[in-house]
Amino acid sequence: MNEMAHAGAPAPESAERRIAALEKELSETQAALAEMRSTYQCLHDMLMQARTPICMWRGEDFIFTVVNPAYSAALPGRQLLGRPIREATPEATQGFCDLLSNVYRTGEPFVGNELPVRLHNPEKGCEELRWYNVVYAPVRDGAGEIVGVCHYGVELTEQVQARQAAEARAEELRKSAELIAAQQETIRVLSTPLLPLAPGVLAMPLIGPIGAERSEQILQGLLRGVAAQGAHIVILDVTGVETIDTQAANALVRAAQAVRLLGARVLVTGVQPSMAQVLVQLGVDLRGISTYSTLQSGIAAAIGGR
């Protein structure tokens, strides 16, 4: 009976077969391990050659385990590998340790743009403000547990400083434009001042050439002043106008006509003989406009004829 049971059982695997299977499995494992090492070495070499600061911390104390040359160059003269971040880089207390702790605790990566950080410059012997774009990502082991945090950064100091300089320049230009506009408004007011001499009597002394723009300013100033103050006499003093041409003469006539429509009349003072001759030669129609050789005589006529 025992012989029959033994005869019906499958033949035991030979030692040679078991050894061959183990050798094959070992060979495949070694090949996979070699491939993993090659991949790791390629990634490591790539990180070491990268021109951006890259590092990796392990454990809750965030001990430096990987530091590429670009990261070391940002912190010259420091021993980083094997040291916790707070000890090796006191700058991390500027809020960065809290960010790392949050990534380590939650597993959520952090992406920061233009983060400012003050770093000591040993060459200048002082702190400098720099800006970085950074990424903090969790590092996991084979079981998926978080064992550290890796850092990838790009320095943007030159770009940020250039933008800030451009923004500062734009602000300067804006303030300059506002100042120029204010100065132009002051010049406009001063170039066409409207002075109250007596109740119902206004005077506008004019100095310098009268161009198209200033002609419009004179007209607008007179109309606003007459309407606002209820004036019935306006004195235009041209003593300070050295030369007069057709455009300037027509501007005075237009101003007088517009003022008359508001119920007031215009007196022109300071008309010199040379100016009177030019007005005659130009054929300017000054009918309805009283003219006086001096401002004083014009004021006397205006006040006496109220």
Side-chain angles (χ1 to χ4, degrees):
M1 185 69 177
N2 291 337
E3 291 180 0
M4 291 179 61
H6 181 73
E13 186 178 8
S14 65
E16 290 80 2
R17 282 188 172 183
R18 289 199 301 272
I19 292 173
L22 290 173
E23 289 179 344
K24 181 180 179 182
E25 184 178 350
L26 177 60
S27 176
E28 291 175 350
T29 302
Q30 289 176 336
L33 181 59
E35 184 176 354
M36 292 176 61
R37 286 176 174 170
S38 176
T39 301
Y40 170 82
Q41 189 62 46
C42 288
L43 291 174
H44 182 272
D45 292 344
M46 181 181 66
L47 296 179
M48 291 299 105
Q49 295 171 11
R51 295 184 178 181
T52 56
I54 298 173
C55 74
M56 186 172 71
W57 302 280
R58 280 190 172 270
E60 296 182 355
D61 292 335
F62 302 109
I63 296 175
F64 283 95
T65 55
V66 174
V67 177
N68 76 340
Y71 193 100
S72 297
L75 300 168
R78 304 195 193 187
Q79 175 59 44
L80 301 176
L81 288 174
R83 300 178 66 191
I85 187 172
R86 290 182 181 274
E87 177 184 323
T89 58
E91 295 86 354
T93 58
Q94 300 175 40
F96 295 98
C97 286
D98 294 336
L99 296 175
L100 293 176
S101 297
N102 188 67
V103 174
Y104 189 88
R105 184 180 68 258
T106 65
E108 293 292 330
F110 170 81
V111 178
N113 296 319
E114 293 188 8
L115 297 184
V117 56
R118 292 192 174 277
L119 296 176
H120 180 73
N121 187 325
E123 295 181 358
K124 297 181 179 180
C126 63
E127 284 190 343
E128 290 183 335
L129 186 60
R130 302 181 187 177
W131 287 265
Y132 292 87
N133 282 355
V134 300
V135 176
Y136 295 147
V139 177
R140 302 178 184 270
D141 60 14
E145 297 294 326
I146 297 175
V147 295
V149 176
C150 65
H151 163 282
Y152 173 85
V154 177
E155 184 171 1
L156 303 170
T157 301
E158 292 185 359
Q159 295 91 318
V160 172
Q161 289 177 339
R163 190 191 70 238
Q164 290 178 342
E167 291 173 349
R169 178 58 178 163
E171 180 64 14
E172 290 179 1
L173 293 175
R174 184 190 66 80
K175 291 181 178 178
S176 296
E178 291 180 352
L179 179 60
I180 291 172
Q183 292 173 339
Q184 289 176 337
E185 177 63 17
T186 301
I187 293 172
R188 184 192 68 78
V189 173
L190 293 176
S191 65
T192 55
L194 196 58
L195 310 176
L197 298 181
V201 179
L202 300 176
M204 178 179 285
L206 301 176
I207 300 174
I210 301 176
E213 182 177 353
R214 194 176 182 202
S215 299
E216 188 64 25
Q217 292 174 356
I218 293 172
L219 178 59
Q220 295 299 325
L222 285 174
L223 295 179
R224 284 195 300 266
V226 170
Q229 301 189 38
H232 58 271
I233 297 179
V234 178
I235 299 174
L236 285 177
D237 182 62
V238 296
T239 304
V241 179
E242 296 180 358
T243 59
I244 192 166
D245 56 13
T246 303
Q247 179 174 295
N250 288 333
L252 297 177
V253 173
R254 286 179 57 229
Q257 292 172 345
V259 168
R260 281 204 301 270
L261 292 176
L262 297 181
R265 64 191 182 94
V266 175
L267 309 182
V268 177
T269 65
V271 178
Q272 303 302 316
S274 59
M275 183 180 294
Q277 184 178 0
V278 171
L279 292 174
V280 172
Q281 291 175 349
L282 293 175
V284 177
D285 185 5
L286 295 178
R287 287 178 295 179
I289 302 176
S290 301
T291 61
Y292 297 88
S293 60
T294 65
L295 176 60
Q296 290 84 349
S297 60
I299 294 174
I303 295 176
R306 284 185 299 164

